[in-house]
Amino acid sequence: MNWAPRRIRPTSSAPAEVLDRWAAAAGHDAIVSSLGRGNSVRADGLFTRASAAVIGAANEAGVSRLVWLSSFGVGETFDWSSAAQKTIYRTLLRSIYADKEIADDRIRSSGLDWTVVYPTRLTHGPAKGTYSTGDRLPMKGSPAISRADVAAFMHQAVHGSEWIHRSPVITD
């Protein structure tokens, strides 16, 4: 099966409006979600609500492919984190990561052809195109990756089948 979407239509929303945007799934082959909380450290249930909405919209629209952005340190990737990363994840990002873990588990049990992407710390730098991906990568220090490189990887993932039902870690 060819996973290349026929067309791409980006949508964006303020967090309060995001649940209404999943109606955009109709007529498309895939959904790519890179939902985030910006500078907030409070999840307020955003990721769990959004995951339920996107799964429902995908099922209603007949869309089977989903590429979902999570964060390194969520779920089992927490165990692979450095001591410094774990301190940040347990404190500052606790609310967001707990909500993302519920959402990620929901995505994995959805029946969709999912990919849950785990980038390390995101930067605003330019794409380098030299990032590493894998089901598990060793972490030292404070690894980072540009949002542009993550977007390029997610674009590649939605167009192929290599990462279906897998949760790649991505970092520079």
Side-chain angles (χ1 to χ4, degrees):
M1 175 176 262
N2 181 359
W3 289 106
R6 290 186 301 264
R7 58 184 179 250
I8 296 173
R9 182 174 65 172
T11 62
S12 63
S13 302
E17 301 167 352
V18 74
L19 300 179
D20 295 332
R21 289 302 199 171
W22 297 120
H28 293 276
D29 299 316
I31 297 172
V32 177
S33 174
S34 58
L35 186 64
R37 289 294 297 162
N39 293 326
S40 177
V41 294
R42 293 184 47 129
D44 296 323
L46 175 65
F47 302 101
T48 55
R49 290 191 322 270
S51 64
V54 73
I55 291 165
N59 288 330
E60 278 185 37
V63 174
S64 63
R65 185 73 174 106
L66 171 62
V67 178
W68 179 266
L69 182 68
S70 187
S71 298
F72 184 80
V74 173
E76 71 179 347
T77 65
F78 179 84
D79 295 335
W80 312 334
S81 305
S82 69
Q85 288 171 311
K86 286 179 180 177
T87 299
I88 294 168
Y89 303 154
R90 282 186 185 129
T91 56
L92 188 64
L93 298 174
R94 180 182 61 229
S95 170
I96 289 176
Y97 279 31
D99 195 48
K100 283 188 173 199
E101 185 169 10
I102 294 166
D104 295 356
D105 289 344
R106 182 178 283 157
I107 296 294
R108 283 190 194 90
S109 64
S110 68
L112 298 173
D113 290 328
W114 55 266
T115 301
V116 178
V117 181
Y118 289 98
T120 54
R121 184 175 50 85
L122 296 171
T123 70
H124 293 288
K128 295 179 183 176
T130 57
Y131 52 83
S132 298
T133 58
D135 293 307
R136 182 173 178 172
L137 297 174
M139 293 294 147
K140 293 181 182 174
S142 182
I145 187 164
S146 73
R147 285 172 170 81
D149 277 331
V150 173
F153 173 76
M154 292 176 77
H155 182 264
Q156 175 252 329
V158 79
H159 283 66
S161 60
E162 176 183 1
W163 295 105
I164 291 176
H165 298 146
R166 292 174 67 191
S167 299
V169 174
I170 180 170
T171 193
D172 277 341

